[in-house]
Amino acid sequence: MKKSKITGIGFHVPKQLVTNQDLTSIMDTSDEWIRTRSGIEQRRWVQGDEAASDLAIPASIKAMEMAGVNPEDIDVVVVGTISGDYFFPGVSAQLQAELGLRNIAAFDIKAACSAFVYSLSIADQFIQTGQYTTALVVGAEAQTKFINKSTEGRDIAVLFGDGAGAAVLQVSNDESGILSTHLHCQGKDLKNLWMEAPGSSGDNQINTVTIEQAKRFEPYMNGREVFKNAVVRFPEVIHEALEKNNLSMDDISLIIPHQANLRIIQSVAKRMGVEQDKFYANIQRYGNTTAASIPIALCEAVEEEKVKEGDTIILAAFGAGYTWASAAIRW
Ligand code: ACO
């Protein structure tokens, strides 16, 4: 079996900066409420016609430039997103066309906040088996187009932001690379974090919507249940990565968790008895960007030299489904 490694990364966020203070002019909320519950200070929101692909394309170009690969080198594109430009097909099809890639395999993964790690794992399997040698893996979200930006939707609206992050995966010829990936799902709780419509179930089709029913077309979150599950699943899946590779926490330079909520990240660190600094956090500046949060955080951690050659890191995710996942990587 071959091993894959990340050879290029890049991210892109919308220009429009939305501070907590800005939110107070469109809904009944406060900087204090948002900061104390989530740690978030500001986020980026798409505006006008801006969509997920507009963020995914520049992020992908940056990752390909860093890896030194040309469009014809890419063998497969996997995009994690729940807010693609269209109901179908996926953002991956747009990337294939817009980046000038060959008629290669391209598909989207709808695993919400775990989707980047899921996508990375899928690309890793293709490279391990030798089917492909170069993969483009992307997490991209323009999810604020779907949220209710009034007081009615404030519990969700203040938490989320838009952005995209990308990674190029290639065959590794040395010790560095993806050591293992671990993916999980527990569908019985899916209604604790979901967007019911549009969908094929019941009368979730667009032609049946009335104003009263429109909330089905917005995300819903049972915040307390999400919190309780997240703080259990994050440690579990991090331990799974450690055990699989016979590593202890001392061997890990940095954990890059999905940026769900600063309180969740802090609570996970505390429960695991690990110092906060070992958990990278940039949610203060971007909010929760769902599938994009881990690749954006990875880019910034590398830029800040918190991840250096030879380091062992763990990416860890938890989100709707519930899904949860981790990846152990030697950088
Ligand atoms: N601004 C001001 N007030 C608000 C806001 C807001 N943006 N949103 C909700 N409120 C109000 C509610 O209406 C409620 O008011 P009420 O008491 O008069 O009915 C009150 O604030 C609830 O506040 P708390 O009692 O502090 O609520 P709770 O402790 O449940 O905290 C929270 C809510 C922050 C969502 C919490 O459950 C949490 O942190 N959950 C984790 C969820 C999360 O972060 N998910 C991330 C996305 S999912 C993922 O990525 C995996």
Side-chain angles (χ1 to χ4, degrees):
M1 292 287 260
K2 296 182 195 306
K3 190 161 65 171
S4 79
K5 74 186 272 187
I6 295 175
T7 55
I9 46 175
F11 80 100
H12 184 83
V13 290
K15 275 207 179 70
Q16 186 184 198
L17 181 70
V18 181
T19 64
N20 292 348
Q21 198 55 40
D22 294 333
L23 292 177
T24 63
S25 64
I26 56 172
M27 63 185 79
D28 180 13
T29 189
S30 67
D31 177 53
E32 193 271 336
W33 195 98
I34 301 168
R35 267 179 213 255
T36 52
R37 264 55 163 216
S38 71
I40 298 165
E41 296 165 18
Q42 59 184 52
R43 72 287 289 144
R44 302 297 184 107
W45 281 2
V46 287
Q47 54 186 334
D49 284 345
E50 211 171 14
S53 69
D54 297 313
L55 310 176
I57 291 165
S60 300
I61 291 170
K62 285 177 200 163
M64 288 165 65
E65 279 172 2
M66 181 174 165
V69 298
N70 296 312
E72 60 270 23
D73 298 324
I74 304 288
D75 299 314
V76 57
V77 181
V78 192
V79 179
T81 185
I82 52 166
S83 54
D85 298 30
Y86 312 121
F87 189 72
F88 70 85
V91 172
S92 49
Q94 291 169 277
L95 287 184
Q96 185 278 325
E98 298 294 329
L99 297 172
L101 310 182
R102 291 177 287 114
N103 294 340
I104 51 161
F107 51 94
D108 285 18
I109 297 295
K110 209 174 179 180
C113 303
S114 305
F116 183 79
V117 180
Y118 264 66
S119 302
L120 193 73
S121 177
I122 292 164
D124 175 48
Q125 311 307 311
F126 278 130
I127 291 178
Q128 283 192 51
T129 59
Q131 179 157 351
Y132 299 130
T133 57
T134 305
L136 176 62
V137 179
V138 183
E141 304 288 4
Q143 57 197 346
T144 65
K145 288 245 169 131
F146 302 95
I147 63 179
N148 179 345
K149 296 171 183 140
S150 73
T151 298
E152 237 185 19
R154 64 183 178 176
D155 59 326
I156 295 268
V158 302
L159 295 178
F160 291 92
D162 302 319
V168 171
L169 237 65
Q170 293 181 281
V171 178
S172 173
N173 296 313
D174 54 35
E175 290 302 300
S176 65
I178 295 181
L179 305 177
S180 67
T181 57
H182 310 273
L183 314 180
H184 299 279
C185 177
Q186 179 177 298
K188 79 175 173 62
D189 295 322
L190 68 87
K191 293 185 181 178
N192 281 336
L193 186 54
W194 73 329
M195 195 167 101
E196 188 181 355
S200 55
S201 166
D203 60 352
N204 284 338
Q205 297 84 51
I206 200 90
N207 53 341
T208 62
V209 191
T210 62
I211 297 293
E212 298 75 53
Q213 294 171 330
K215 64 178 184 340
R216 288 181 298 153
F217 290 75
E218 295 163 17
Y220 164 82
M221 178 179 70
N222 180 339
R224 288 187 182 195
E225 280 304 311
V226 169
F227 196 104
K228 275 197 283 186
N229 281 273
V231 297
V232 171
R233 296 309 189 184
F234 271 116
E236 255 179 40
V237 84
I238 292 167
H239 279 303
E240 194 177 357
L242 291 174
E243 278 159 29
K244 173 76 182 175
N245 297 289
N246 290 318
L247 296 168
S248 76
M249 201 50 96
D250 292 339
D251 299 313
I252 305 301
S253 315
L254 195 68
I255 295 167
I256 300 183
H258 162 54
Q259 306 290 302
N261 179 323
L262 193 59
R263 285 203 321 183
I264 292 178
I265 296 172
Q266 288 167 340
S267 174
V268 169
K270 200 167 162 201
R271 277 168 178 250
M272 296 184 77
V274 175
E275 63 274 28
Q276 297 286 339
D277 284 0
K278 206 164 243 190
F279 283 78
Y280 188 80
N282 64 359
I283 188 170
Q284 299 88 335
R285 285 176 288 117
Y286 299 110
N288 180 338
T289 58
T290 301
S293 91
I294 289 180
I296 293 175
L298 176 62
C299 287
E300 292 208 326
V302 170
E303 263 170 35
E304 292 163 18
E305 298 187 350
K306 289 184 173 157
V307 177
K308 298 187 284 296
E309 201 178 322
D311 284 354
T312 305
I313 63 168
I314 293 178
L315 313 182
F318 175 84
Y322 298 126
T323 53
W324 59 103
S326 65
I329 301 173
R330 174 112 356 105
W331 200 252

